[in-house]
Amino acid sequence: MSAQPDHAPVTPYAPAPGAPAELLTQLRADRRAAQWVPAFQQEWTAALEESRRTFSLAGLYEVVQDWQGRLAHAPAVDAFVASGYDDSESIDVAELRGRRR
């Protein structure tokens, strides 16, 4: 009998070594660069400090994955906003919480 698992463990997402630099280049080229570049740099710095403390790259990978997702979905968000969708009938969660009290 073997002590090895009978299934292959799920490999966590690991970006390419140059992914953070490439991502920063893409963020700088985006129209939201004034807000996004400092936010990315702040999150990256925090994840880097955590990585030094914990000896884990998971936080760095997460920052890259999150920002890649933001960039990938930005055109869809822009199109939604430009469509003029009226969300005035949306539910205000804070208002609902106030009613329950």
Side-chain angles (χ1 to χ4, degrees), residues 17-97:
E22 181 181 320
L23 182 57
L24 188 55
T25 299
Q26 292 173 342
L27 290 172
R28 286 181 175 143
D30 192 273
R31 67 177 182 81
R32 303 165 191 83
Q35 294 85 26
W36 280 13
V37 170
F40 170 77
Q41 290 173 329
Q42 182 179 5
E43 288 182 30
W44 181 258
T45 300
L48 191 56
E49 288 302 315
E50 177 187 342
S51 176
R52 289 180 180 142
R53 237 182 20 262
T54 63
F55 299 100
S56 171
L57 298 175
L60 294 169
Y61 292 171
E62 186 178 316
V63 169
V64 170
Q65 190 174 17
D66 286 351
W67 281 95
Q68 286 173 333
R70 287 181 184 138
L71 273 174
H73 292 95
V77 172
D78 290 342
F80 178 78
V81 170
S83 74
Y85 176 78
D86 179 15
D87 65 350
S88 61
E89 293 182 25
S90 64
I91 297 172
D92 184 355
V93 176
E95 183 180 329
L96 286 176
R97 287 182 183 139

